[in-house]
Amino acid sequence: MSDQTPALTSAGRAASEPSSAGRAASDPTSAGRVARNERIETPAPHEVATWQHRYTDALLGVFGTPKSVLVRGEGVYVWDADGTRYLDLLAGIAVNALGHAHPTLTGAIGAQLATLGHVSNFFATPTQIALAERLLALAGAPEGSRAFFTNSGTEANEAAFKIARRNRGEDGRRTRVIALEGSFHGRTMGALALTSKAAYREPFEPLPGGVEFVPAGDVAALEAAFQADGDGGRDTSTVAAVFLELVQGEGGVLPLPEGYLTRARELTSEHGALLIVDEVQTGVGRTGRWLALQDPALGGGVVPDVVTLAKGLGGGFPIGAVLTYGERVSRLLSPGQHGTTFGGNPVAAAAALATIGVIERDDLLGNATAVGEHIRSQVRAMIAEGALVTGVRGAGLLVGVQLAADVAAQVADLAQRDGFIVNAVSPSVVRLAPPLVITREQVQPFLDWLRELNVDPASRGLSLPTDDDLPTDEEPR
Ligand code: PLP
């Protein structure tokens, strides 16, 4: 999907536009001040491949070779360093809620930065306070609830883990934390301890202890976990918290079955344990509600003890949050027991307030619901039409397309070649998490593309199992 975008420089500007380095050379008042006679070269246009090479030589290899090098975004589209345009159906993995370069967001960030860019947590800012109030109101959190700000999802879960550790009970015996198989809570040591995937965990063991995994969606297994203490006897007061995602995003866009959360709430309440819901991926409008918890099918009216947020919250500006529900939970961490330099930064808070404001003003919750349903119904119709697509699931604009075989990575590569950014979240599942501003018309070219691929996958080199025993639409769990 190439369009007529002018050739871009390494910094992603049209070649005719002066680079900021170029401006600095001719404008001694500019921030990038340089010595008068120093010659600044505007970088020549670079190709994606060259940048990929430089990336590999300069950046730690934890992400592998990048799929492309992107230089610019506008709305639901991004452009790479070769000037190729893509429909961004991933939005930085559920982050760019307003799409790219939204004027309200960039304006709010610029205005806050020009007014007050950072203060230490010895002080507070009105922006930070307003955001805390706004989030607690959107969450419908009861009297006595509080917010804590972080810079990322993993940090929000670290804080939640520490809150769980403080829920020891009077005899100090509540030390077990129950997490679900298939979970993903982040890459720092505490969040990793809560994450089930062995390949992520094992290289870094020993991890913080006391975490036990139960099969996701299995009520009996959860009940059993509450009955067992470390010695195999019966002790109903050793669980400090249950951590879960309502839709396991990284796990393959897998919703928990209806009723599971309600039972988790009953068990945690009965035994004095905390119910901690990781809404890092599902929160801030992604599922068509402010929180997935507010979706009757996903949340079942449950009031949690702690919710963690990040990703979509700042619309692309890094910020995470922990919401503690009610007085008791909000007092578990006392002064000095946790902190952060950047968390609550006023620029990040301004970004989040602007993101929330636009979601509300433009009814992006309604849009996420409507466009998400449109995508799911179109993909559902494909199941009978071809051999590749066998199911679809998710909520709002978090969509998992189940494929007949482990070809999701190939499908994502083909999509990219044809101008669509999607993600192979598991070997047989393609994830879509587009900006919440996306319209039906904008997403339609991808749906048409997928329909064609579904009808004739072999024409694009996809080989699928030929027996009758193909996986079918999985029951949500
Ligand atoms: N929790 C969930 C449910 C996530 O999906 C992610 C990231 O994918 C995280 C936590 C970690 O967030 P971050 O990458 O911002 O640390």
Side-chain angles (χ1 to χ4, degrees):
M1 193 191 278
S2 264
D3 69 358
Q4 300 306 310
T5 311
L8 297 171
T9 66
S10 61
R13 288 172 295 275
S16 57
E17 209 177 64
S19 70
S20 56
R23 279 198 299 273
S26 59
D27 175 12
T29 65
S30 80
R33 200 173 300 208
V34 294
R36 238 162 217 277
N37 297 328
E38 192 180 332
R39 189 163 167 271
I40 300 290
E41 286 185 11
T42 301
H46 285 270
E47 293 184 353
V48 166
T50 310
W51 281 116
Q52 283 169 319
H53 227 80
R54 287 174 61 177
Y55 176 99
T56 310
D57 287 346
L59 282 108
L60 206 60
V62 293
F63 296 110
T65 304
K67 289 180 173 298
S68 187
V69 177
L70 304 176
V71 294
R72 186 165 76 85
E74 195 180 315
V76 296
Y77 300 102
V78 289
W79 283 260
D80 71 17
D82 291 335
T84 303
R85 189 182 83 163
Y86 301 89
L87 176 62
D88 185 2
L89 294 166
L90 193 57
I93 313 187
V95 167
N96 303 100
L98 308 184
H100 299 272
H102 193 288
T104 308
L105 181 58
T106 58
I109 290 169
Q112 182 62 52
L113 191 56
T115 306
L116 185 65
H118 180 76
V119 300
S120 78
N121 280 310
F122 294 124
F123 301 92
T125 63
T127 328
Q128 171 196 46
I129 296 163
L131 178 61
E133 291 170 350
R134 193 91 159 87
L135 285 175
L136 293 171
L138 293 175
E143 194 64 30
S145 300
R146 298 286 186 269
F148 176 82
F149 292 115
T150 68
N151 311 289
S152 65
T154 201
E155 285 171 77
N157 286 329
E158 290 291 329
F161 197 169
K162 285 177 77 173
I163 291 169
R165 282 283 194 257
R166 297 303 306 155
N167 186 38
R168 289 176 181 282
E170 276 170 21
D171 58 3
R173 296 198 59 203
R174 271 197 225 123
T175 55
R176 298 165 57 220
V177 174
I178 310 296
L180 305 191
E181 288 174 8
S183 61
F184 183 84
H185 295 293
R187 302 286 201 146
T188 50
M189 294 301 256
L192 196 54
L194 299 161
T195 293
S196 77
K197 194 168 172 174
Y200 294 164
R201 299 166 52 84
E202 281 170 2
F204 306 101
E205 286 173 346
L207 295 169
V211 181
E212 299 166 27
F213 293 94
V214 295
D218 183 338
V219 167
L222 188 62
E223 287 169 345
F226 272 89
Q227 298 308 324
D229 73 7
D231 304 323
R234 281 175 72 88
D235 185 333
T236 55
S237 63
T238 58
V239 178
V242 172
F243 254 87
L244 48 78
E245 302 154 83
L246 301 185
V247 180
Q248 289 188 336
E250 302 306 302
V253 192
L254 291 166
L256 287 172
E258 242 172 300
Y260 184 84
L261 188 72
T262 307
R263 187 68 188 122
R265 176 71 285 181
E266 284 166 3
L267 288 164
T268 46
S269 296
E270 203 179 306
H271 297 290
L274 302 180
L275 180 62
I276 301 179
V277 181
D278 179 343
E279 292 238 27
V280 166
Q281 188 155 157
T282 53
V284 202
R286 177 57 45 195
T287 67
R289 309 274 177 161
W290 287 112
L291 300 180
L293 270 164
Q294 293 162 340
D295 180 325
L298 294 170
V302 160
V303 178
D305 294 305
V306 179
V307 165
T308 56
L309 300 169
K311 288 194 178 281
L313 181 55
F317 204 91
I319 179 168
V322 182
L323 306 182
T324 55
Y325 284 58
E327 202 85 51
R328 184 184 91 78
V329 182
S330 301
R331 287 179 190 277
L332 284 170
L333 282 180
S334 48
Q337 288 188 335
H338 197 51
T340 161
T341 294
F342 290 116
N345 169 280
V347 181
L353 280 170
T355 302
I356 290 167
V358 173
I359 292 174
E360 190 168 60
R361 184 193 70 195
D362 296 348
D363 186 24
L364 297 184
L365 301 183
N367 192 63
T369 303
V371 179
E373 197 37 60
H374 173 71
I375 294 172
R376 269 185 294 280
S377 73
Q378 293 241 333
V379 176
R380 211 172 285 124
M382 292 177 203
I383 297 169
E385 294 169 0
L388 177 64
V389 173
T390 61
V392 63
R393 55 185 178 246
L397 283 172
L398 182 57
V399 178
V401 178
Q402 178 69 53
L403 306 178
D406 290 351
V407 292
Q410 282 169 269
V411 170
D413 286 347
L414 288 171
Q416 188 179 328
R417 214 173 294 164
D418 292 346
F420 306 106
I421 295 179
V422 300
N423 152 251
V425 69
S426 78
S428 66
V429 179
V430 167
R431 171 174 52 185
L432 312 179
L436 305 184
V437 295
I438 199 165
T439 63
R440 285 170 200 236
E441 293 69 32
Q442 286 169 330
V443 80
Q444 198 57 47
F446 171 75
L447 294 170
D448 295 341
W449 177 91
L450 185 61
R451 178 169 292 114
E452 240 176 73
L453 185 69
N454 181 47
V455 168
D456 191 7
S459 70
R460 301 297 301 271
L462 295 179
S463 79
L464 303 177
T466 49
D467 53 65
D468 293 333
D469 200 17
L470 297 177
T472 52
D473 192 6
E474 282 178 25
E475 284 301 309
R477 64 164 178 79

